[in-house]
């Protein structure tokens, strides 16, 4: 097998980046723009020892699960990887992915899976969008999304995953830049001003936040832009984020309030949340509610429990659980998120939740050693890389009755479950929940119970 060879293959799986995976001549090939079930002709682009990359040249037989993607830039944009797959097929793929990770990596022969919780419709579900602002190939000012694996901007002001109002916001930002000759940021040499426009919409409250990321101290004539943006019904918060670093991190740490307040509010269930630009907040609020209800069910609270919520963000799960527990403690890295969590507790009149800022791997072992903290239930919701071993170890030593593991990466989830199963726990239930329709990402809630000894 060598570059430019033509191969024929059946796509059997998707890679973690959403590339179709099939086999030809004993090699595994990754083929972009294919879906599971396609029979494809492809041209080899690059060969490694045991695998290669190939480009789709012809669909010999389209998969029965293939559909026409509703978004015109689905193929170029790096945001959605599997829009060309029907939604039921996406859900089957995710369910299977969770099961196979738990089997292969977690060593759980027959994972106790519940059916995946899918969305009613996998569009318009994101409450947050971050649009890079720059120049397109013709040199026109534009906003959109990065093409997969690159930083060239695909023009797209109405992403079908996001809120409809984003288009109007971006139009106002771009026309403001045109009018006052404000340059977009140029990654190559660090020149120019406007880097990104970030938006957030409270789906329950209708409140809207706009945060413009600038490579500098101010945005010329920002008052005029605020007047225009403030006409949008629901607009509550307009801020500047200062980011002068040469980095892929979108938001800078420092913010300037331009108009309104520096946060918006939203509700999950009965709990009201304040969200500031720098805080993490679940991007799919409708599914989040279903996810948290599942986590609450798994936590099995009666009102007498002490619960630790690790990686708690702005306290969303903590406050959701506090209504049914005796006491909840949350731990989170980002200090602003902890401030939001405390404000959120007060806002909801919740007095039995306390929050600590710091890395879980520092805070938890230390508090266990110094204060002998204990828990009936521990909830963890770590970022994709999962939990540090010191966190898992301390959890096991705290011996809670139940652990509820909320995960956005089935592979690290399976690794961590394997550790906990070796330390006195058993996996009782697994429920995949689709938070990110049309992408390959997959969320999951797992209930672990202490094995009696
Ligand atoms: N449970 C929350 C947030 C989950 S996202 C919710 O449902 O909204 C994961 C969170 O972990 C983020 O808020 C991130 O800031 C935080 N985080 C990442 N690494 C961390 C660490 N080492 N220690 C503590 N928090 C961390």
């Amino acid at each position: 097998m060598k570059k430019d060879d033509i191969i024929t293959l059946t796509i059997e799986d998707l890679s973690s980046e959403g590339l179709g995976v099939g086999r030809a001549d004993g090699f595994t090939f990754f083929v972009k723009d294919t879906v599971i079930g396609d029979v494809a002709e492809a041209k080899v682009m690059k060969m490694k020892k045991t695998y290669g990359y190939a480009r789709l040249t012809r669909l010999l037989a389209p998969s029965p699960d293939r559909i026409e993607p509703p978004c015109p830039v689905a193929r170029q944009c790096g945001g959605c990887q599997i829009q060309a797959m029907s939604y039921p097929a996406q859900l089957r793929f995710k369910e299977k992915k969770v099961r196979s990770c738990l089997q292969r990596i977690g060593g759980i022969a027959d994972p106790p899976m519940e059916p995946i919780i899918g969305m009613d419709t996998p569009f318009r579900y994101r409450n947050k969008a971050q649009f890079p602002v720059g120049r397109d190939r013709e040199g026109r000012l534009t906003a959109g999304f990065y093409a997969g694996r690159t930083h060239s901007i695909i023009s797209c002001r109405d992403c079908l995953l996001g809120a409809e109002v984003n288009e109007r916001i971006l139009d106002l930002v771009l026309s403001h830049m045109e009018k006052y000759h404000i340059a977009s940021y140029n990654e190559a040499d660090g020149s120019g001003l406007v880097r990104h426009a970030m938006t957030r919409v409270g789906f329950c409250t209708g409140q809207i936040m706009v945060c413009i990321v600038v490579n500098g101290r101010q945005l010329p004539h920002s008052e005029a832009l605020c007047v225009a943006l403030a006409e949008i019904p629901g607009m509550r918060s307009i801020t500047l984020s200062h980011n002068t670093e040469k980095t892929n991190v979108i938001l800078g740490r420092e913010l300037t309030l331009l108009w309104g307040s520096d946060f918006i509010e939203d509700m999950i269930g009965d709990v009201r949340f304040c969200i500031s630009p720098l805080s993490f907040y679940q991007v799919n609020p409708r599914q989040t509610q279903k996810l948290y209800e599942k986590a609450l069910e798994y936590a099995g609270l009666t009102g007498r429990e002490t619960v630790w919520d690790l990686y708690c963000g702005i306290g969303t799960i903590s406050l959701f659980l506090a209504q049914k527990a005796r006491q909840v403690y949350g731990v989170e890295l980002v200090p602003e998120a902890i401030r939001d969590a405390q404000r959120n507790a007060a806002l909801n009149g919740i007095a039995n939740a306390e929050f600590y800022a710091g890395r879980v791997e520092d805070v938890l072992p230390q508090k266990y050693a110094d204060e002998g903290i204990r828990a009936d239930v521990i909830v963890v919701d770590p970022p994709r890389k999962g939990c540090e071993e010191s966190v898992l170890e301390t959890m096991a030593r705290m011996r809670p009755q139940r652990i509820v593991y909320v995960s956005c990466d089935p592979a690290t989830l399976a690794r961590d479950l394997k550790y906990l199963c070796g330390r006195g726990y058993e996996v009782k239930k697994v429920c995949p929940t689709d938070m990110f329709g049309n992408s390959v990402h997959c969320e999951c809630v797992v209930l672990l119970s202490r094995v009696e000894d």
Side-chain angles (χ1 to χ4, degrees), residues 437-448:
N438 290 309
S439 87
V440 284
H441 299 298
C442 190
E443 192 94 5
C444 201
V445 202
V446 175
L447 169 63
L448 294 118

Side-chain angles (χ1 to χ4, degrees), residues 270-272 319 322-323 341-353:
D270 297 331
V271 188
R272 208 171 180 86
L319 299 178
Q323 302 164 300
Q342 287 158 340
R343 187 156 56 170
N344 291 333
L347 182 72
N348 290 281
I350 293 174
N352 60 339

Side-chain angles (χ1 to χ4, degrees), residues 234-260:
M235 189 61 62
R236 280 289 186 289
S237 166
I238 306 174
T239 51
L240 281 186
S241 158
H242 307 284
N243 186 355
T244 52
E245 308 279 315
K246 276 200 162 185
T247 163
N248 285 341
V249 176
I250 295 175
L251 295 180
R253 303 295 312 165
E254 201 194 335
L255 294 172
T256 304
L257 179 63
L258 293 180
W259 182 89

Side-chain angles (χ1 to χ4, degrees), residues 183-237:
S184 59
Y185 179 65
N186 180 340
E187 279 187 327
D189 61 7
S191 68
L193 188 64
V194 178
R195 299 173 72 130
H196 274 83
M198 187 265 259
T199 68
R200 258 175 173 162
V201 179
F203 277 22
C204 283
T205 58
Q207 298 185 8
I208 300 171
M209 161 187 289
V210 176
C211 178
I212 297 168
V213 187
V214 289
N215 173 38
R217 298 303 315 155
Q218 54 191 13
L219 180 75
H221 306 280
S222 57
E223 332 70 55
L225 178 60
C226 288
V227 168
L229 286 172
E231 279 185 21
I232 297 176
M235 189 61 62
R236 280 289 186 289
S237 166

Side-chain angles (χ1 to χ4, degrees), residues 280 282 292 311-313 316-317 331-334 358-361 381-383:
F280 174 91
Q282 294 281 359
Y292 289 0
Y311 311 89
C312 69
T316 27
I317 297 181
V331 185
E332 159 64 41
L333 178 67
V334 178
R359 301 191 316 163
V360 174
E361 55 273 33
D381 184 7

Side-chain angles (χ1 to χ4, degrees), residues 300-306 321-327 352 376:
L301 302 178
T302 63
R304 292 190 297 272
E305 292 80 5
T306 298
L321 299 185
Q323 302 164 300
K324 301 274 164 61
R326 187 180 67 79
Q327 177 70 38
N352 60 339
D376 299 296

Side-chain angles (χ1 to χ4, degrees), residues 383-430:
R384 280 189 205 151
K385 68 177 163 72
C387 297
E388 299 274 318
E389 196 166 312
S390 63
V391 173
L392 298 172
E393 193 198 329
T394 310
M395 279 164 52
R397 290 171 64 184
M398 288 170 73
R399 298 166 60 91
Q401 214 51 49
R402 288 179 291 286
I403 297 173
V404 179
Y405 195 133
V406 181
S407 158
C408 55
D409 186 321
T412 59
L413 167 71
R415 178 200 67 200
D416 292 353
L417 293 183
K418 185 172 187 180
Y419 181 95
L420 291 168
C421 287
R423 295 291 304 265
Y425 285 86
E426 152 179 89
V427 173
K428 288 286 194 197
K429 281 179 186 169
V430 178

